[in-house]
Amino acid sequence: MLSTGLNVVGFNWVSSPAATELESTVMDWLGQVLKLPKTFLFSGSGGGVLLGTTCEAILGTLVAARDQKLCQIGRENIRKLIVYGSDQTHCAVQKAAHIIGIHPKNFRAIKTNKSTSFSLLPESLLSTIQSDVQNGLVPCYLCVTVGTTSTTAIDPVEPLCKVAKDYGMWVHIDAAYAGSACICPEFRHLIDGVEDANSFSLNAHKWFLTNLDCCCLWVKDPTSLIKSLSTNSVYLENSASESKQVVDYKDWQITLSRRFRALKVWLVLRSYGVANLTSFLRNHVEMAKTFEELVKQDKRFEVVVPRTLAVVCFRILPSAVAKIANGKVQNGDSKTEDVANEINRKLLNSINGSGTIYMTHAIAGGIFMIRCAIGATLTEETHVIMAWKVVQKHADAILNY
C-alpha cells in the first residue's frame, strides 16, 4: 500500500533517483545474502532488477540470448535457434520462446523420470544438443529449474551449466520458489554452480514475505539485456542517462513503466532481518517434514518424490485402490494405476470441497499426486496436523473404510 500510494514513476534514474538507487541497493543486499558471485552484483560487474514475475525474467533473458546468438549466425537463421528445458520446466519458457519468434518445434522439453526425482539429467541434455547440432540447428538457451512447479525437483546446476557452456548457450536459473530458501546455509548447495550461469531469478512474493508482485532477476552482463531491451526516444533523453553513470531500469525489462517494488523488499529485509527470515523458512520446512512423516505412517499412502523443501507430493497407493470392493479393479490389474489417478483426483476434490484446507495437484511421469505446500505466513504445526486428519477422513470415505 505504501509503495503504491507513493505512486513513484521510476522507469529511468532521472524520474526517481531514490527509487532506482534503492532498487540497486536491495538487489545487492539480497544477492549477498544468497552468496551470489560478485559477477551478478552491482558491486561487481553485474546487477539486479525487480520485475513482476518470472515470466518477465525469462522473456527478457531469452530476448538477450536470442540477439546474442543471431549476431553470431545472422538474423535470417532465427528458425535454427533451439531452447532447452525439461518436461517439468515452467510453461513460461515455451510461451516466451513463442513470443520472441522461436519456432514451436524448436523448444526441447527433455524427458525426466521418477527414478531421478524428475530432475533434468546432464546426459539427457547433452545427447539432445548433439542431435540438434548434427541436424544443423543452433543451441541458444537453457532454463535450469531449482524447484519445479510440479514436484520441487532440483535440476543439477553445475553439470548442466558445463554442458551448455560447451555450446555457447545462455543459461538461466529459474529458482522462483526454492531460491528464497537458499539464504539458509543448509540449502545454499541447491544453487552451487550458479557462477557458470548467465542469469538467476527468484520470486520474493512466493516464499519471502513479500506481497505480489516481486521477481528478483540478476544478470552477469547487464549490457546484453540493455542492448536488447533499451528504448531511446527523444522524449526520454536526459543528461543523467547520457552520462552512462546511472541505471535506467526501463532498459532492463519489457515494459517502460514500472512499480516501486524495491520499497517492499527493503521493508522485508530491514524489518525481519536475515536471522528471522531464515528461521521463518526453516520453520516451514520442519512443518513439511511433519506432514511427510504423517503420510509415511499411513500404509495406504506414499510420498511420490522425496521432499526437498516445504512441498510434499503424496497419493493413495495403487495397492490401496485395488482393495476397493467395487469390482472395478483387482490387485495387479494393468489398469490399477489409471484408477489410482482417478481416485486421487476424487480425493483432492473432496478435500478442497470441504472448505477446511486447500491443496493442489500435479501430474508427473503419468502419476496424479496431491501437493501439500507449507508457505502461508501464519501456518503453525497444529494446522499441518489438522490438514492430515482432513486428508485421512476423506480418504476413509472414498476407500470405504
Side-chain angles (χ1 to χ4, degrees):
M1 289 176 65
L2 181 60
S3 59
T4 301
L6 290 172
N7 198 31
V8 172
V9 183
F11 53 82
N12 59 6
W13 185 90
V14 74
S15 66
S16 183
T20 301
E21 295 297 334
L22 184 62
E23 185 161 337
S24 300
T25 298
V26 298
M27 287 303 291
D28 264 18
W29 282 358
L30 187 50
Q32 289 162 9
V33 174
L34 287 163
K35 292 183 169 54
L36 291 182
K38 262 205 162 184
T39 48
F40 280 98
L41 309 180
F42 284 108
S43 56
S45 55
V49 57
L50 291 170
L51 304 172
T53 68
T54 295
C55 299
E56 295 174 47
I58 289 171
L59 181 57
T61 54
L62 190 49
V63 169
R66 177 201 64 186
D67 290 352
Q68 272 192 352
K69 191 61 68 174
L70 292 180
C71 282
Q72 299 169 12
I73 66 172
R75 289 199 167 269
E76 68 278 6
N77 291 310
I78 188 171
R79 292 180 69 86
K80 293 183 179 181
L81 298 184
I82 306 294
V83 174
Y84 298 87
S86 79
D87 56 4
Q88 301 302 307
T89 299
H90 196 280
C91 59
V93 181
Q94 192 166 3
K95 183 176 183 179
H98 176 69
I99 289 171
I100 70 164
I102 303 295
H103 196 283
K105 292 182 179 179
N106 286 12
F107 175 76
R108 301 287 182 263
I110 301 170
K111 185 175 175 57
T112 61
N113 56 69
K114 185 182 176 185
S115 64
T116 55
S117 300
F118 300 107
S119 63
L120 175 58
L121 298 180
E123 297 83 2
S124 300
L125 174 64
L126 179 59
S127 62
T128 305
I129 292 174
Q130 288 175 335
S131 175
D132 286 332
V133 171
Q134 289 171 5
N135 290 321
L137 301 173
V138 181
C140 176
Y141 184 96
L142 168 66
C143 182
V144 177
T145 308
V146 178
T148 58
T149 302
S150 294
T151 65
T152 327
I154 308 295
D155 291 341
V157 175
E158 189 170 5
L160 289 171
C161 284
K162 287 181 179 177
V163 171
K165 286 305 173 184
D166 286 341
Y167 292 89
M169 299 167 61
W170 182 294
V171 179
H172 176 72
I173 298 176
D174 171 15
Y177 164 70
S180 297
C182 293
I183 70 169
C184 302
E186 65 268 32
F187 300 124
R188 175 56 176 76
H189 70 277
L190 298 177
I191 58 171
D192 281 354
V194 64
E195 62 274 8
D196 294 322
N198 299 85
S199 52
F200 173 88
S201 65
L202 66 83
N203 285 353
H205 60 245
K206 275 193 166 63
W207 202 16
F208 205 69
L209 293 169
T210 306
N211 290 346
L212 192 76
D213 54 11
C214 191
C215 171
C216 307
L217 169 67
W218 290 267
V219 289
K220 259 187 183 176
D221 178 21
T223 303
S224 59
L225 204 62
I226 294 167
K227 187 176 179 181
S228 293
L229 301 176
S230 62
T231 48
N232 299 295
S233 299
V234 173
Y235 48 79
L236 294 173
E237 291 178 357
N238 64 87
S239 58
S241 296
E242 290 167 4
S243 74
K244 306 296 183 185
Q245 300 299 308
V246 299
V247 175
D248 285 339
Y249 274 124
K250 68 179 179 62
D251 298 330
W252 292 55
Q253 60 180 31
I254 302 299
T255 62
L256 180 65
S257 299
R258 58 201 322 273
R259 302 176 190 271
F260 186 20
R261 300 182 180 94
L263 186 59
K264 295 190 290 188
V265 180
W266 182 84
L267 281 168
V268 168
L269 290 172
R270 295 291 291 174
S271 60
Y272 288 94
V274 175
N276 285 327
L277 287 167
T278 54
S279 177
F280 165 77
L281 293 162
R282 286 169 177 152
N283 190 37
H284 281 182
V285 172
E286 288 303 312
M287 285 190 281
K289 286 181 182 178
T290 297
F291 189 88
E292 179 185 36
E293 287 305 312
L294 291 170
V295 174
K296 289 179 177 179
Q297 289 170 18
D298 191 325
K299 300 306 178 184
R300 300 172 299 172
F301 289 84
E302 73 165 338
V303 175
V304 181
V305 291
R307 180 205 49 77
T308 305
L309 295 168
V311 176
V312 181
C313 299
F314 67 100
R315 68 167 179 165
I316 296 175
L317 281 163
S319 57
V321 171
K323 294 176 182 177
I324 299 177
N326 57 9
K328 286 186 69 177
V329 292
Q330 297 296 324
N331 198 16
D333 193 312
S334 61
K335 293 183 179 180
T336 303
E337 196 71 48
D338 292 337
V339 176
N341 286 345
E342 179 186 335
I343 292 296
N344 279 287
R345 188 184 293 276
K346 184 178 179 180
L347 173 61
L348 177 63
N349 291 337
S350 180
I351 291 167
N352 290 341
S354 72
T356 309
I357 58 174
Y358 187 83
M359 293 184 178
T360 56
H361 75 280
I363 298 176
I367 299 171
F368 182 97
M369 62 194 83
I370 302 171
R371 302 165 68 252
C372 175
I374 312 297
T377 308
L378 301 178
T379 300
E380 298 177 358
E381 187 172 313
T382 54
H383 300 133
V384 173
I385 294 170
M386 177 273 291
W388 176 242
K389 289 179 179 178
V390 171
V391 172
Q392 287 186 307
K393 175 184 174 182
H394 289 269
D396 288 347
I398 290 172
L399 295 175
N400 299 319
Y401 276 78

